[in-house]
Amino acid sequence: MKFKGYALGIISSVSYGLIPIFILPVKQSHFSLDITLFYRFLFSALMIGGYLLYSKENFSINKKEAIVLAVLGICYALSSEFLFLGYDYLTAGIASTVLFIYPVIVALIMFFFYREKLTKLSILSLLLAFAGVIVLCLKGKGLEINFAGLGIVMLSSLFYALYIIIVNKSNIKVSGFKLSFYSMLFTSLFFMIKSLIGQESFAIPSVTVFFNFVVFALLTTVISTLCLVFSIKSIGSTPAAILGALEPVVAVMVSVLMFDEKFTFNLFLGIILILLGVILNVLAGSKKAVLH
């Protein structure tokens, strides 16, 4: 049973790490990013909605749940938006690695706003993660930080952290599937409104593009989300979060192997420091839970 949970956690991380395969060609072909993201989340919502129908789960939600789920959708949408904007400034490998600082941001928000104590392990994890970001920004002989890119991806990380905190703190009684369905639905609505304001065409240019959207939604969103839900149920949130460390590793491998990103020593060291920081942060959280 445990093995299944670990396997699902790995599948979730790997599938999420494949995002650059779909996004970079869209950016290179100058196809609308908002339309791409609208279809990604719409198809994801339809697939998860299909499963809810199949399992005869009730779709009804009350007003409070609707508000919370709409906020979750907006947080998820803004996280996606800023990550893909960040690809214009940073390489996909670096952007995906910086995004992975979100567990550290969660720890900081919990410390400042919910007065959760920061353990020595937590503080060490914060320092390692920030050291990793600085190493990623080192180029040649000096510190050449692309502040715009770094800031944009940090915003992506912040909104993802807010998404996780709201899921934990809102106390809404909906299943993981229902939460995923409505989050995706509201996220797609966000990009639909944005596309309508920008007067963009919703026409899908070819059957190939249509299948790309479906595979993009299935691989990076549906499989990733559902595997994570089942992984957490099987092995708990701490091991599942540690397995999430594979996300940036996969994204970097994809960027290096498919998009000719240079695998520099700085990239390697930055990833290691951030992964160590995040894993320590998760372990600090689990230790705290045991003490409570």
Side-chain angles (χ1 to χ4, degrees):
M1 187 63 190
K2 288 277 187 209
F3 173 75
K4 187 180 164 192
Y6 284 105
L8 287 169
I10 290 168
I11 292 167
S12 171
S13 292
V14 170
S15 65
Y16 194 79
L18 297 175
I19 283 177
I21 292 179
F22 299 93
I23 283 299
L24 294 179
V26 168
K27 280 199 164 290
Q28 284 157 9
S29 65
H30 303 295
F31 189 78
S32 164
L33 200 55
D34 288 333
I35 296 291
T36 302
L37 292 173
F38 163 69
Y39 281 119
R40 173 196 178 190
F41 291 110
L42 177 68
F43 290 154
S44 299
L46 290 174
M47 288 176 209
I48 296 170
Y51 178 83
L52 289 175
L53 279 173
Y54 169 76
S55 59
K56 296 186 172 59
E57 191 168 331
N58 190 343
F59 279 86
S60 66
I61 48 172
N62 61 36
K63 195 177 169 186
K64 184 203 168 188
E65 288 164 352
I67 291 166
V68 172
L69 290 164
V71 171
L72 285 176
I74 290 166
C75 285
Y76 206 101
L78 289 170
S79 179
S80 296
E81 175 90 359
F82 285 122
L83 175 62
F84 301 140
L85 269 176
Y87 284 175
D88 287 338
Y89 299 89
L90 304 171
T91 64
I94 291 177
S96 303
T97 309
V98 172
L99 170 72
F100 196 65
I101 276 186
Y102 69 82
V104 176
I105 296 177
V106 169
L108 282 173
I109 291 173
M110 298 308 282
F111 171 70
F112 284 111
F113 294 96
Y114 292 96
R115 295 285 177 263
E116 276 200 9
K117 284 196 173 73
L118 275 180
T119 61
K120 283 177 185 167
L121 257 185
S122 297
I123 293 163
L124 179 61
S125 79
L126 292 173
L127 292 173
L128 281 169
F130 284 119
V133 171
I134 288 170
V135 170
L136 284 179
C137 299
L138 290 172
K139 279 213 182 117
K141 292 188 175 121
L143 188 65
E144 191 189 296
I145 300 181
N146 185 326
F147 284 108
L150 198 59
I152 288 167
V153 180
M154 283 291 213
L155 279 173
S156 171
S157 199
L158 170 66
F159 280 108
Y160 197 66
L162 289 174
Y163 178 90
I164 290 165
I165 289 167
I166 294 165
V167 167
N168 280 337
K169 293 288 179 184
S170 60
N171 295 324
I172 55 169
K173 303 283 183 282
V174 295
S175 70
F177 280 103
K178 208 159 151 182
L179 186 138
S180 299
F181 169 73
Y182 280 106
S183 292
M184 300 303 164
L185 195 63
F186 283 117
T187 306
S188 71
L189 270 174
F190 174 92
F191 287 111
M192 184 178 90
I193 293 163
K194 204 162 169 265
S195 301
L196 287 170
I197 292 167
Q199 297 181 325
E200 294 184 43
S201 165
F202 285 86
I204 298 175
S206 67
V207 177
T208 314
V209 173
F210 172 77
F211 279 113
N212 275 351
F213 286 154
V214 172
V215 175
F216 184 26
L218 181 67
L219 268 186
T220 68
T221 316
V222 178
I223 289 176
S224 179
T225 307
L226 298 186
C227 284
L228 185 63
V229 168
F230 286 117
S231 174
I232 288 169
K233 279 185 179 173
S234 173
I235 59 175
S237 54
T238 299
I242 291 174
L243 289 172
L246 286 170
E247 286 169 20
V249 176
V250 173
V252 167
M253 282 166 60
V254 166
S255 305
V256 170
L257 297 173
M258 292 183 67
F259 300 104
D260 301 324
E261 180 173 336
K262 284 191 176 69
F263 188 68
T264 60
F265 178 71
N266 287 356
L267 188 56
F268 170 73
L269 187 59
I271 289 172
I272 297 296
L273 286 169
I274 287 173
L275 294 189
L276 276 174
V278 168
I279 290 165
L280 274 181
N281 176 62
V282 171
L283 291 174
S286 65
K287 207 169 164 190
K288 204 159 48 186
V290 171
L291 292 173
H292 281 269

PDB file of all heavy atoms in Angstrom, residues 39-66:
ATOM      1  N   TYR A  39      -7.978  26.494 -22.145  1.00  0.00           N
ATOM      2  CA  TYR A  39      -8.298  25.126 -22.563  1.00  0.00           C
ATOM      3  C   TYR A  39      -7.655  24.079 -21.645  1.00  0.00           C
ATOM      4  O   TYR A  39      -8.242  23.038 -21.370  1.00  0.00           O
ATOM      5  CB  TYR A  39      -7.892  24.889 -24.023  1.00  0.00           C
ATOM      6  CG  TYR A  39      -8.893  25.474 -25.000  1.00  0.00           C
ATOM      7  CD1 TYR A  39      -8.537  26.464 -25.901  1.00  0.00           C
ATOM      8  CD2 TYR A  39     -10.215  25.030 -25.003  1.00  0.00           C
ATOM      9  CE1 TYR A  39      -9.467  27.007 -26.780  1.00  0.00           C
ATOM     10  CE2 TYR A  39     -11.152  25.571 -25.877  1.00  0.00           C
ATOM     11  CZ  TYR A  39     -10.775  26.554 -26.765  1.00  0.00           C
ATOM     12  OH  TYR A  39     -11.706  27.089 -27.623  1.00  0.00           O
ATOM     13  N   ARG A  40      -6.451  24.385 -21.165  1.00  0.00           N
ATOM     14  CA  ARG A  40      -5.787  23.434 -20.242  1.00  0.00           C
ATOM     15  C   ARG A  40      -6.675  23.173 -19.029  1.00  0.00           C
ATOM     16  O   ARG A  40      -6.923  22.029 -18.643  1.00  0.00           O
ATOM     17  CB  ARG A  40      -4.441  24.006 -19.789  1.00  0.00           C
ATOM     18  CG  ARG A  40      -3.764  23.168 -18.710  1.00  0.00           C
ATOM     19  CD  ARG A  40      -2.658  23.936 -18.000  1.00  0.00           C
ATOM     20  NE  ARG A  40      -2.047  23.152 -16.940  1.00  0.00           N
ATOM     21  CZ  ARG A  40      -1.201  23.633 -16.049  1.00  0.00           C
ATOM     22  NH1 ARG A  40      -0.853  24.898 -16.090  1.00  0.00           N
ATOM     23  NH2 ARG A  40      -0.695  22.870 -15.114  1.00  0.00           N
ATOM     24  N   PHE A  41      -7.184  24.266 -18.422  1.00  0.00           N
ATOM     25  CA  PHE A  41      -7.973  24.104 -17.197  1.00  0.00           C
ATOM     26  C   PHE A  41      -9.414  23.687 -17.481  1.00  0.00           C
ATOM     27  O   PHE A  41     -10.018  22.970 -16.688  1.00  0.00           O
ATOM     28  CB  PHE A  41      -7.901  25.377 -16.355  1.00  0.00           C
ATOM     29  CG  PHE A  41      -6.534  25.608 -15.774  1.00  0.00           C
ATOM     30  CD1 PHE A  41      -5.715  26.633 -16.221  1.00  0.00           C
ATOM     31  CD2 PHE A  41      -6.038  24.748 -14.800  1.00  0.00           C
ATOM     32  CE1 PHE A  41      -4.434  26.813 -15.706  1.00  0.00           C
ATOM     33  CE2 PHE A  41      -4.755  24.917 -14.270  1.00  0.00           C
ATOM     34  CZ  PHE A  41      -3.957  25.958 -14.728  1.00  0.00           C
ATOM     35  N   LEU A  42      -9.957  24.115 -18.624  1.00  0.00           N
ATOM     36  CA  LEU A  42     -11.314  23.696 -18.987  1.00  0.00           C
ATOM     37  C   LEU A  42     -11.354  22.180 -19.213  1.00  0.00           C
ATOM     38  O   LEU A  42     -12.211  21.477 -18.662  1.00  0.00           O
ATOM     39  CB  LEU A  42     -11.787  24.420 -20.254  1.00  0.00           C
ATOM     40  CG  LEU A  42     -13.176  23.993 -20.767  1.00  0.00           C
ATOM     41  CD1 LEU A  42     -14.271  24.429 -19.789  1.00  0.00           C
ATOM     42  CD2 LEU A  42     -13.460  24.559 -22.150  1.00  0.00           C
ATOM     43  N   PHE A  43     -10.402  21.675 -20.011  1.00  0.00           N
ATOM     44  CA  PHE A  43     -10.360  20.229 -20.271  1.00  0.00           C
ATOM     45  C   PHE A  43     -10.073  19.447 -18.990  1.00  0.00           C
ATOM     46  O   PHE A  43     -10.602  18.354 -18.776  1.00  0.00           O
ATOM     47  CB  PHE A  43      -9.313  19.891 -21.352  1.00  0.00           C
ATOM     48  CG  PHE A  43      -9.694  20.363 -22.732  1.00  0.00           C
ATOM     49  CD1 PHE A  43      -8.725  20.632 -23.694  1.00  0.00           C
ATOM     50  CD2 PHE A  43     -11.024  20.540 -23.079  1.00  0.00           C
ATOM     51  CE1 PHE A  43      -9.079  21.071 -24.972  1.00  0.00           C
ATOM     52  CE2 PHE A  43     -11.390  20.974 -24.354  1.00  0.00           C
ATOM     53  CZ  PHE A  43     -10.423  21.236 -25.298  1.00  0.00           C
ATOM     54  N   SER A  44      -9.234  20.026 -18.114  1.00  0.00           N
ATOM     55  CA  SER A  44      -8.949  19.374 -16.827  1.00  0.00           C
ATOM     56  C   SER A  44     -10.232  19.270 -16.000  1.00  0.00           C
ATOM     57  O   SER A  44     -10.533  18.219 -15.424  1.00  0.00           O
ATOM     58  CB  SER A  44      -7.912  20.169 -16.035  1.00  0.00           C
ATOM     59  OG  SER A  44      -6.709  20.251 -16.750  1.00  0.00           O
ATOM     60  N   ALA A  45     -10.995  20.385 -15.958  1.00  0.00           N
ATOM     61  CA  ALA A  45     -12.255  20.394 -15.190  1.00  0.00           C
ATOM     62  C   ALA A  45     -13.243  19.382 -15.766  1.00  0.00           C
ATOM     63  O   ALA A  45     -13.915  18.661 -15.020  1.00  0.00           O
ATOM     64  CB  ALA A  45     -12.866  21.798 -15.207  1.00  0.00           C
ATOM     65  N   LEU A  46     -13.312  19.311 -17.107  1.00  0.00           N
ATOM     66  CA  LEU A  46     -14.235  18.366 -17.753  1.00  0.00           C
ATOM     67  C   LEU A  46     -13.861  16.919 -17.432  1.00  0.00           C
ATOM     68  O   LEU A  46     -14.719  16.079 -17.174  1.00  0.00           O
ATOM     69  CB  LEU A  46     -14.245  18.576 -19.275  1.00  0.00           C
ATOM     70  CG  LEU A  46     -14.891  19.882 -19.764  1.00  0.00           C
ATOM     71  CD1 LEU A  46     -14.694  20.041 -21.263  1.00  0.00           C
ATOM     72  CD2 LEU A  46     -16.383  19.919 -19.412  1.00  0.00           C
ATOM     73  N   MET A  47     -12.548  16.619 -17.441  1.00  0.00           N
ATOM     74  CA  MET A  47     -12.101  15.250 -17.147  1.00  0.00           C
ATOM     75  C   MET A  47     -12.411  14.867 -15.694  1.00  0.00           C
ATOM     76  O   MET A  47     -12.921  13.780 -15.421  1.00  0.00           O
ATOM     77  CB  MET A  47     -10.597  15.105 -17.412  1.00  0.00           C
ATOM     78  CG  MET A  47     -10.232  15.118 -18.885  1.00  0.00           C
ATOM     79  SD  MET A  47      -8.425  15.050 -19.086  1.00  0.00           S
ATOM     80  CE  MET A  47      -8.206  15.921 -20.623  1.00  0.00           C
ATOM     81  N   ILE A  48     -12.121  15.790 -14.770  1.00  0.00           N
ATOM     82  CA  ILE A  48     -12.389  15.498 -13.353  1.00  0.00           C
ATOM     83  C   ILE A  48     -13.903  15.467 -13.117  1.00  0.00           C
ATOM     84  O   ILE A  48     -14.414  14.633 -12.370  1.00  0.00           O
ATOM     85  CB  ILE A  48     -11.684  16.526 -12.426  1.00  0.00           C
ATOM     86  CG1 ILE A  48     -10.165  16.394 -12.590  1.00  0.00           C
ATOM     87  CG2 ILE A  48     -12.074  16.289 -10.958  1.00  0.00           C
ATOM     88  CD1 ILE A  48      -9.354  17.486 -11.921  1.00  0.00           C
ATOM     89  N   GLY A  49     -14.635  16.369 -13.810  1.00  0.00           N
ATOM     90  CA  GLY A  49     -16.106  16.373 -13.726  1.00  0.00           C
ATOM     91  C   GLY A  49     -16.684  15.057 -14.213  1.00  0.00           C
ATOM     92  O   GLY A  49     -17.648  14.526 -13.631  1.00  0.00           O
ATOM     93  N   GLY A  50     -16.092  14.493 -15.264  1.00  0.00           N
ATOM     94  CA  GLY A  50     -16.518  13.193 -15.793  1.00  0.00           C
ATOM     95  C   GLY A  50     -16.360  12.106 -14.743  1.00  0.00           C
ATOM     96  O   GLY A  50     -17.235  11.247 -14.575  1.00  0.00           O
ATOM     97  N   TYR A  51     -15.251  12.178 -14.003  1.00  0.00           N
ATOM     98  CA  TYR A  51     -15.015  11.190 -12.951  1.00  0.00           C
ATOM     99  C   TYR A  51     -16.053  11.354 -11.824  1.00  0.00           C
ATOM    100  O   TYR A  51     -16.561  10.368 -11.285  1.00  0.00           O
ATOM    101  CB  TYR A  51     -13.601  11.316 -12.373  1.00  0.00           C
ATOM    102  CG  TYR A  51     -13.359  10.334 -11.252  1.00  0.00           C
ATOM    103  CD1 TYR A  51     -12.997   9.014 -11.524  1.00  0.00           C
ATOM    104  CD2 TYR A  51     -13.553  10.703  -9.924  1.00  0.00           C
ATOM    105  CE1 TYR A  51     -12.818   8.096 -10.500  1.00  0.00           C
ATOM    106  CE2 TYR A  51     -13.379   9.801  -8.892  1.00  0.00           C
ATOM    107  CZ  TYR A  51     -13.011   8.495  -9.183  1.00  0.00           C
ATOM    108  OH  TYR A  51     -12.839   7.586  -8.169  1.00  0.00           O
ATOM    109  N   LEU A  52     -16.383  12.613 -11.487  1.00  0.00           N
ATOM    110  CA  LEU A  52     -17.380  12.877 -10.435  1.00  0.00           C
ATOM    111  C   LEU A  52     -18.736  12.303 -10.840  1.00  0.00           C
ATOM    112  O   LEU A  52     -19.459  11.732 -10.017  1.00  0.00           O
ATOM    113  CB  LEU A  52     -17.510  14.384 -10.163  1.00  0.00           C
ATOM    114  CG  LEU A  52     -16.329  15.063  -9.446  1.00  0.00           C
ATOM    115  CD1 LEU A  52     -16.552  16.570  -9.371  1.00  0.00           C
ATOM    116  CD2 LEU A  52     -16.139  14.506  -8.044  1.00  0.00           C
ATOM    117  N   LEU A  53     -19.093  12.463 -12.120  1.00  0.00           N
ATOM    118  CA  LEU A  53     -20.351  11.901 -12.636  1.00  0.00           C
ATOM    119  C   LEU A  53     -20.324  10.382 -12.522  1.00  0.00           C
ATOM    120  O   LEU A  53     -21.276   9.756 -12.073  1.00  0.00           O
ATOM    121  CB  LEU A  53     -20.551  12.298 -14.106  1.00  0.00           C
ATOM    122  CG  LEU A  53     -21.116  13.697 -14.392  1.00  0.00           C
ATOM    123  CD1 LEU A  53     -21.084  13.970 -15.891  1.00  0.00           C
ATOM    124  CD2 LEU A  53     -22.548  13.817 -13.862  1.00  0.00           C
ATOM    125  N   TYR A  54     -19.187   9.804 -12.942  1.00  0.00           N
ATOM    126  CA  TYR A  54     -19.009   8.345 -12.932  1.00  0.00           C
ATOM    127  C   TYR A  54     -19.141   7.798 -11.506  1.00  0.00           C
ATOM    128  O   TYR A  54     -19.757   6.755 -11.279  1.00  0.00           O
ATOM    129  CB  TYR A  54     -17.632   7.991 -13.525  1.00  0.00           C
ATOM    130  CG  TYR A  54     -17.219   6.558 -13.335  1.00  0.00           C
ATOM    131  CD1 TYR A  54     -17.774   5.539 -14.117  1.00  0.00           C
ATOM    132  CD2 TYR A  54     -16.254   6.211 -12.382  1.00  0.00           C
ATOM    133  CE1 TYR A  54     -17.400   4.217 -13.932  1.00  0.00           C
ATOM    134  CE2 TYR A  54     -15.869   4.898 -12.197  1.00  0.00           C
ATOM    135  CZ  TYR A  54     -16.442   3.901 -12.978  1.00  0.00           C
ATOM    136  OH  TYR A  54     -16.068   2.595 -12.800  1.00  0.00           O
ATOM    137  N   SER A  55     -18.554   8.519 -10.538  1.00  0.00           N
ATOM    138  CA  SER A  55     -18.597   8.040  -9.147  1.00  0.00           C
ATOM    139  C   SER A  55     -19.854   8.527  -8.418  1.00  0.00           C
ATOM    140  O   SER A  55     -19.979   8.380  -7.206  1.00  0.00           O
ATOM    141  CB  SER A  55     -17.339   8.475  -8.394  1.00  0.00           C
ATOM    142  OG  SER A  55     -17.230   9.877  -8.415  1.00  0.00           O
ATOM    143  N   LYS A  56     -20.772   9.146  -9.195  1.00  0.00           N
ATOM    144  CA  LYS A  56     -22.069   9.627  -8.674  1.00  0.00           C
ATOM    145  C   LYS A  56     -21.915  10.574  -7.476  1.00  0.00           C
ATOM    146  O   LYS A  56     -22.704  10.542  -6.530  1.00  0.00           O
ATOM    147  CB  LYS A  56     -22.963   8.437  -8.294  1.00  0.00           C
ATOM    148  CG  LYS A  56     -23.339   7.558  -9.486  1.00  0.00           C
ATOM    149  CD  LYS A  56     -24.332   6.483  -9.105  1.00  0.00           C
ATOM    150  CE  LYS A  56     -24.867   5.724 -10.302  1.00  0.00           C
ATOM    151  NZ  LYS A  56     -23.835   5.039 -11.103  1.00  0.00           N
ATOM    152  N   GLU A  57     -20.883  11.410  -7.530  1.00  0.00           N
ATOM    153  CA  GLU A  57     -20.689  12.383  -6.443  1.00  0.00           C
ATOM    154  C   GLU A  57     -21.520  13.630  -6.721  1.00  0.00           C
ATOM    155  O   GLU A  57     -21.650  14.071  -7.860  1.00  0.00           O
ATOM    156  CB  GLU A  57     -19.207  12.756  -6.310  1.00  0.00           C
ATOM    157  CG  GLU A  57     -18.949  13.541  -5.039  1.00  0.00           C
ATOM    158  CD  GLU A  57     -17.461  13.688  -4.701  1.00  0.00           C
ATOM    159  OE1 GLU A  57     -16.664  12.810  -5.052  1.00  0.00           O
ATOM    160  OE2 GLU A  57     -17.126  14.700  -4.078  1.00  0.00           O
ATOM    161  N   ASN A  58     -22.061  14.183  -5.657  1.00  0.00           N
ATOM    162  CA  ASN A  58     -22.912  15.368  -5.771  1.00  0.00           C
ATOM    163  C   ASN A  58     -22.065  16.596  -6.115  1.00  0.00           C
ATOM    164  O   ASN A  58     -21.039  16.850  -5.488  1.00  0.00           O
ATOM    165  CB  ASN A  58     -23.620  15.565  -4.410  1.00  0.00           C
ATOM    166  CG  ASN A  58     -24.713  16.608  -4.490  1.00  0.00           C
ATOM    167  OD1 ASN A  58     -24.763  17.405  -5.418  1.00  0.00           O
ATOM    168  ND2 ASN A  58     -25.593  16.584  -3.509  1.00  0.00           N
ATOM    169  N   PHE A  59     -22.513  17.382  -7.097  1.00  0.00           N
ATOM    170  CA  PHE A  59     -21.764  18.574  -7.512  1.00  0.00           C
ATOM    171  C   PHE A  59     -22.104  19.808  -6.661  1.00  0.00           C
ATOM    172  O   PHE A  59     -21.461  20.835  -6.793  1.00  0.00           O
ATOM    173  CB  PHE A  59     -22.072  18.921  -8.982  1.00  0.00           C
ATOM    174  CG  PHE A  59     -21.290  18.099  -9.969  1.00  0.00           C
ATOM    175  CD1 PHE A  59     -21.744  16.854 -10.385  1.00  0.00           C
ATOM    176  CD2 PHE A  59     -20.094  18.569 -10.500  1.00  0.00           C
ATOM    177  CE1 PHE A  59     -21.029  16.090 -11.300  1.00  0.00           C
ATOM    178  CE2 PHE A  59     -19.369  17.816 -11.414  1.00  0.00           C
ATOM    179  CZ  PHE A  59     -19.832  16.578 -11.812  1.00  0.00           C
ATOM    180  N   SER A  60     -23.156  19.719  -5.839  1.00  0.00           N
ATOM    181  CA  SER A  60     -23.649  20.930  -5.160  1.00  0.00           C
ATOM    182  C   SER A  60     -22.643  21.466  -4.141  1.00  0.00           C
ATOM    183  O   SER A  60     -21.959  20.703  -3.450  1.00  0.00           O
ATOM    184  CB  SER A  60     -24.983  20.643  -4.469  1.00  0.00           C
ATOM    185  OG  SER A  60     -24.773  19.722  -3.427  1.00  0.00           O
ATOM    186  N   ILE A  61     -22.569  22.795  -4.077  1.00  0.00           N
ATOM    187  CA  ILE A  61     -21.723  23.467  -3.080  1.00  0.00           C
ATOM    188  C   ILE A  61     -22.522  24.638  -2.499  1.00  0.00           C
ATOM    189  O   ILE A  61     -23.390  25.189  -3.177  1.00  0.00           O
ATOM    190  CB  ILE A  61     -20.394  24.002  -3.683  1.00  0.00           C
ATOM    191  CG1 ILE A  61     -20.633  24.776  -4.988  1.00  0.00           C
ATOM    192  CG2 ILE A  61     -19.383  22.904  -3.877  1.00  0.00           C
ATOM    193  CD1 ILE A  61     -19.409  25.485  -5.546  1.00  0.00           C
ATOM    194  N   ASN A  62     -22.220  24.994  -1.248  1.00  0.00           N
ATOM    195  CA  ASN A  62     -22.938  26.142  -0.670  1.00  0.00           C
ATOM    196  C   ASN A  62     -22.190  27.442  -0.975  1.00  0.00           C
ATOM    197  O   ASN A  62     -21.131  27.428  -1.611  1.00  0.00           O
ATOM    198  CB  ASN A  62     -23.157  25.949   0.840  1.00  0.00           C
ATOM    199  CG  ASN A  62     -21.846  25.822   1.598  1.00  0.00           C
ATOM    200  OD1 ASN A  62     -20.842  26.473   1.253  1.00  0.00           O
ATOM    201  ND2 ASN A  62     -21.814  24.981   2.618  1.00  0.00           N
ATOM    202  N   LYS A  63     -22.758  28.558  -0.503  1.00  0.00           N
ATOM    203  CA  LYS A  63     -22.207  29.872  -0.853  1.00  0.00           C
ATOM    204  C   LYS A  63     -20.773  30.043  -0.354  1.00  0.00           C
ATOM    205  O   LYS A  63     -19.892  30.526  -1.063  1.00  0.00           O
ATOM    206  CB  LYS A  63     -23.106  30.964  -0.254  1.00  0.00           C
ATOM    207  CG  LYS A  63     -22.862  32.344  -0.843  1.00  0.00           C
ATOM    208  CD  LYS A  63     -23.843  33.351  -0.263  1.00  0.00           C
ATOM    209  CE  LYS A  63     -23.443  34.767  -0.634  1.00  0.00           C
ATOM    210  NZ  LYS A  63     -24.295  35.770   0.026  1.00  0.00           N
ATOM    211  N   LYS A  64     -20.516  29.616   0.888  1.00  0.00           N
ATOM    212  CA  LYS A  64     -19.171  29.764   1.471  1.00  0.00           C
ATOM    213  C   LYS A  64     -18.153  28.960   0.651  1.00  0.00           C
ATOM    214  O   LYS A  64     -17.063  29.436   0.332  1.00  0.00           O
ATOM    215  CB  LYS A  64     -19.170  29.284   2.933  1.00  0.00           C
ATOM    216  CG  LYS A  64     -17.811  29.523   3.607  1.00  0.00           C
ATOM    217  CD  LYS A  64     -17.569  28.611   4.788  1.00  0.00           C
ATOM    218  CE  LYS A  64     -16.115  28.681   5.215  1.00  0.00           C
ATOM    219  NZ  LYS A  64     -15.756  27.704   6.236  1.00  0.00           N
ATOM    220  N   GLU A  65     -18.541  27.711   0.322  1.00  0.00           N
ATOM    221  CA  GLU A  65     -17.651  26.860  -0.471  1.00  0.00           C
ATOM    222  C   GLU A  65     -17.373  27.466  -1.840  1.00  0.00           C
ATOM    223  O   GLU A  65     -16.247  27.442  -2.332  1.00  0.00           O
ATOM    224  CB  GLU A  65     -18.269  25.455  -0.613  1.00  0.00           C
ATOM    225  CG  GLU A  65     -18.219  24.649   0.671  1.00  0.00           C
ATOM    226  CD  GLU A  65     -19.145  23.435   0.649  1.00  0.00           C
ATOM    227  OE1 GLU A  65     -19.944  23.285  -0.301  1.00  0.00           O
ATOM    228  OE2 GLU A  65     -19.069  22.634   1.606  1.00  0.00           O
ATOM    229  N   ALA A  66     -18.429  28.043  -2.444  1.00  0.00           N
ATOM    230  CA  ALA A  66     -18.286  28.657  -3.773  1.00  0.00           C
ATOM    231  C   ALA A  66     -17.277  29.803  -3.726  1.00  0.00           C
ATOM    232  O   ALA A  66     -16.414  29.932  -4.612  1.00  0.00           O
ATOM    233  CB  ALA A  66     -19.631  29.168  -4.272  1.00  0.00           C
TER     234      ALA A  66
END
